[in-house]
């Protein structure tokens, strides 16, 4: 059988496809170098940020200043709902008067000094530890705590709060931090109780509209 | 000609690579804030975070109340359906009663029990039903009708006229539970509850 002998002079390197590959690699490296060179903060900025949804909180920790805080947990909310119902029944009062009463109810009854006046105890820590103990006793429950902190307050206070909340054994306390002062509540437009159905579960919430 | 073109392309690629490496080295020496300002300006301002416009304090879960026979009350007797059948196979008994504020089933065994022609069955039903009591969430008139000989529904309980008891939280839903204590023969699908 006769084999055809290849003509060695016809051997040529196929540069076109090689160029294609080289350019694609070049583009890939250019793009990846660009992203790698971005500082971390800028890389994160491409992550979608949460929409401006209302802030749900089972536990509200509003830091007022370096000496005081507002603390509301589900038991307080339950009481608040009852008291708000009573205030709403006072139809002889104007809407503004009723709103003022609700604000006082929320703020005055639930504001505590961070350190007790005689300096013997830390109320904030005690409240948070109670919450942690409760969360540890009910691992099946999930808690969400919202920490509101004014911009001028040292962030170390928030870190202290977060540190205590993260001591839970079952990690069933989630938390979120947001800027905001007690004046948001003090100047709120409305405070209403609202029944909400979440799947098969009914909840009675308090909605504070800033 | 082709060779020149390839050399040209190679040269362009080399220039590009050198330019970009120079640019990257130059940029890496700048403080982070000065690099790529144009890019940062193009990014939209992120929307405000939740909790800046309103706050929703979520309260505890509301458990619905179940309006049913109060099993915790002593002396509640159950009606023996087989016994009722043995007394009167075609018994028709209608009882117009009232659920009191404490949940007790109140009726006059003479005037409120209607059982024309079936007196014995009426007496027996009346005797048992006087021991029944409900959870104290609703109050008002209730009608209980027995029709032992019926093919379909043999027991009809009309609670449509019951009203939420004063003092019970108006926001808490009240569901209907088991409203009768009958054993020995009455099937679940033979009972009709009128609640509207």
């Amino acid at each position: 059988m006769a084999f055809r002998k290849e003509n060695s002079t016809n051997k040529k390197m196929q540069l076109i496809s090689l160029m294609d590959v080289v350019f694609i690699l070049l583009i890939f490296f250019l793009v990846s170098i660009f992203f790698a060179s971005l500082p971390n903060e800028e890389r994160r900025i491409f992550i979608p940020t949460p929409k401006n949804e209302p802030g749900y909180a089972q536990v509200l920790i509003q830091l007022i200043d370096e000496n005081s805080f507002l603390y509301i947990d589900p038991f307080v909310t339950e009481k608040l709902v009852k008291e708000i119902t009573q205030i709403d029944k006072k139809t002889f009062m104007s809407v503004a008067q009723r709103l003022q009463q609700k604000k006082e109810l929320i703020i005055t009854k639930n504001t505590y000094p961070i350190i007790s006046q005689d300096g013997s105890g830390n109320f904030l820590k005690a409240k948070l530890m109670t919450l942690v103990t409760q969360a540890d006793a009910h691992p099946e429950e999930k808690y969400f705590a919202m920490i509101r902190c004014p911009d001028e307050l040292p962030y170390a206070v928030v870190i202290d709060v977060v540190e205590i909340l993260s001591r839970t054994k079952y990690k069933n306390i989630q938390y979120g931090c947001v800027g905001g002062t007690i004046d948001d509540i003090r100047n709120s437009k409305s405070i209403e109780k609202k029944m909400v159905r979440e799947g098969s579960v009914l909840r009675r919430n308090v909605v504070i509209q800033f | 000609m082709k060779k020149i073109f390839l050399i040209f392309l190679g040269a362009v690629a080399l220039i590009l690579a050198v330019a970009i490496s120079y640019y990257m080295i130059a940029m890496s020496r700048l403080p982070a804030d000065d690099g790529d300002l144009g890019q940062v300006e193009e990014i939209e301002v992120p929307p405000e975070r939740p909790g800046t416009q309103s706050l929703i304090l979520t309260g505890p879960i509301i458990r619905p109340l179940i309006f049913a026979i109060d099993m915790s009350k002593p002396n509640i007797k159950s009606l023996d359906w087989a016994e009722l059948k043995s007394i009167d196979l075609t018994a028709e008994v209608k009882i117009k009663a009232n659920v009191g504020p404490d949940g007790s089933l109140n009726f006059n065994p003479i005037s409120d029990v209607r059982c024309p022609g079936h007196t014995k069955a009426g007496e027996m039903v009346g005797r048992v039903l006087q021991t029944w009591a409900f959870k104290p969430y609703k109050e008002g008139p209730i009608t209980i009708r027995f029709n032992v000989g019926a093919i379909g529904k043999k027991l009809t309980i009309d609670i449509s006229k019951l009203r939420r008891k004063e003092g019970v939280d108006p926001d808490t839903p009240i569901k209907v539970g088991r409203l009768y204590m009958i054993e020995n023969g009455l099937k679940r699908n033979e009972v009709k509850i009128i609640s509207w």
Side-chain angles (χ1 to χ4, degrees):
Chain A
M1 194 177 169
F3 290 97
R4 191 169 49 158
K5 194 176 180 183
E6 273 188 21
N7 189 356
S8 60
T9 53
N10 287 339
K11 274 188 178 173
K12 281 181 183 172
M13 203 174 171
Q14 292 299 314
L15 281 178
I16 302 294
S17 38
L18 182 70
M19 289 297 287
D20 281 349
V21 172
V22 167
F23 269 100
I24 286 168
L25 282 174
L26 185 68
I27 290 165
F28 170 75
F29 284 121
L30 284 178
V31 173
S32 56
I33 284 170
F34 170 72
F35 277 104
S37 65
L38 276 176
N40 279 341
E41 299 79 39
E42 286 182 36
R43 258 183 272 171
R44 276 196 222 112
I45 215 159
F46 292 104
I47 298 167
T49 46
K51 287 178 191 169
N52 186 20
E53 289 160 351
Y56 279 91
Q58 265 177 303
V59 180
L60 173 68
I61 303 152
Q62 169 72 63
L63 299 163
I64 298 171
D65 50 40
E66 284 187 47
N67 304 315
S68 56
F69 69 102
L70 177 93
Y71 183 89
I72 295 173
D73 61 19
F75 300 105
V76 177
T77 308
E78 194 176 10
K79 276 188 201 167
L80 278 178
V81 169
K82 283 178 189 162
E83 284 164 319
I84 286 171
T85 311
Q86 292 305 316
I87 294 173
D88 282 337
K89 281 180 186 169
K90 295 178 182 172
T91 46
F92 56 88
M93 289 168 81
S94 69
V95 176
Q97 281 174 322
R98 274 181 271 166
L99 177 62
Q100 189 54 37
Q101 243 185 27
K102 290 176 195 174
K103 287 177 190 174
E104 281 168 16
L105 176 75
I106 291 176
I107 297 169
T108 52
K109 278 193 176 177
N110 302 300
T111 301
Y112 305 92
I114 292 180
I115 306 285
S116 62
Q117 300 222 327
D118 57 356
S120 59
N122 186 325
F123 276 123
L124 178 58
K125 196 177 171 187
K127 284 272 178 198
L128 297 174
M129 282 311 293
T130 311
L131 178 64
V132 169
T133 314
Q134 193 189 337
D136 285 345
H138 302 279
E140 72 287 353
E141 292 279 336
K142 280 190 178 168
Y143 300 84
F144 183 78
M146 179 179 280
I147 308 154
R148 298 184 93 244
C149 178
D151 294 340
E152 62 274 13
L153 211 64
Y155 208 67
V157 186
V158 177
I159 293 167
D160 285 346
V161 172
V162 168
E163 191 272 319
I164 298 172
L165 292 182
S166 56
R167 285 185 200 171
T168 45
K169 268 188 237 164
Y170 306 102
K171 302 291 169 206
N172 52 346
I173 300 181
Q174 293 179 313
Y175 47 81
C177 308
V178 68
T181 65
I182 189 75
D183 289 337
D184 293 333
I185 300 172
R186 219 169 259 150
N187 304 325
S188 54
K189 291 175 202 156
S190 71
I191 299 170
E192 305 293 338
K193 60 164 186 155
K194 198 175 179 184
M195 294 273 283
V196 180
R197 182 175 287 280
E198 295 164 6
S200 59
V201 172
L202 261 179
R203 277 186 192 278
R204 205 177 287 138
N205 298 341
V206 174
V207 182
I208 304 171
Q209 200 75 39
F210 298 154
Chain B
M1 189 66 188
K2 199 173 179 181
K3 203 172 179 181
I4 293 168
F5 177 68
L6 288 173
I7 290 168
F8 173 74
L9 273 181
V12 168
L14 188 71
I15 289 164
L16 259 175
V18 169
I20 285 161
S21 348
Y22 173 76
Y23 170 77
M24 296 315 305
I25 292 164
M27 292 301 285
S28 65
R29 288 178 186 169
L30 281 175
D33 291 348
D34 292 346
D36 253 348
L37 276 179
Q39 188 74 33
V40 173
E41 279 168 2
E42 282 169 22
I43 292 166
E44 282 180 32
V45 177
E48 287 185 78
R49 299 185 68 188
T52 57
Q53 299 298 305
S54 66
L55 265 179
I56 297 179
L57 305 171
T58 53
I61 295 169
I62 303 165
R63 312 262 175 219
L65 300 169
I66 309 289
F67 180 72
I69 291 269
D70 191 351
M71 302 301 285
S72 64
K73 292 256 170 89
N75 306 326
I76 289 188
K77 286 181 188 161
S78 53
L79 187 102
D80 191 329
W81 193 258
E83 192 187 334
L84 181 64
K85 268 171 90 176
S86 69
I87 292 171
D88 191 339
L89 260 179
T90 58
E92 274 189 61
V93 183
K94 185 180 173 185
I95 296 175
K96 279 192 169 183
N98 206 60
V99 179
D102 59 343
S104 59
L105 191 65
N106 305 319
F107 59 92
N108 187 324
I110 298 162
S111 59
D112 292 332
V113 180
R114 294 183 185 180
C115 48
H118 310 280
T119 319
K120 274 194 175 178
E123 280 173 3
M124 185 244 180
V125 168
R127 233 183 1 257
V128 175
L129 262 63
Q130 271 187 322
T131 67
W132 288 8
F134 298 97
K135 295 268 185 187
Y137 307 139
K138 289 188 173 193
E139 58 183 343
I142 184 171
T143 309
I144 303 169
R145 175 180 284 175
F146 293 84
N147 191 347
V148 180
I151 292 167
K153 305 292 179 189
K154 294 181 195 285
L155 171 66
T156 307
I157 303 174
D158 183 357
I159 55 164
S160 59
K161 286 174 187 160
L162 287 182
R163 293 288 168 261
R164 182 183 290 264
K165 201 181 107 180
E166 210 171 301
V168 173
D169 183 2
D171 292 335
T172 309
I174 301 177
K175 291 189 174 177
V176 177
R178 190 176 173 156
L179 297 172
Y180 53 91
M181 277 288 288
I182 299 172
E183 56 188 24
N184 258 341
L186 183 72
K187 291 173 193 157
R188 205 179 174 82
N189 60 359
E190 291 171 332
V191 181
K192 185 181 179 184
I193 308 289
I194 303 169
S195 50
W196 299 94

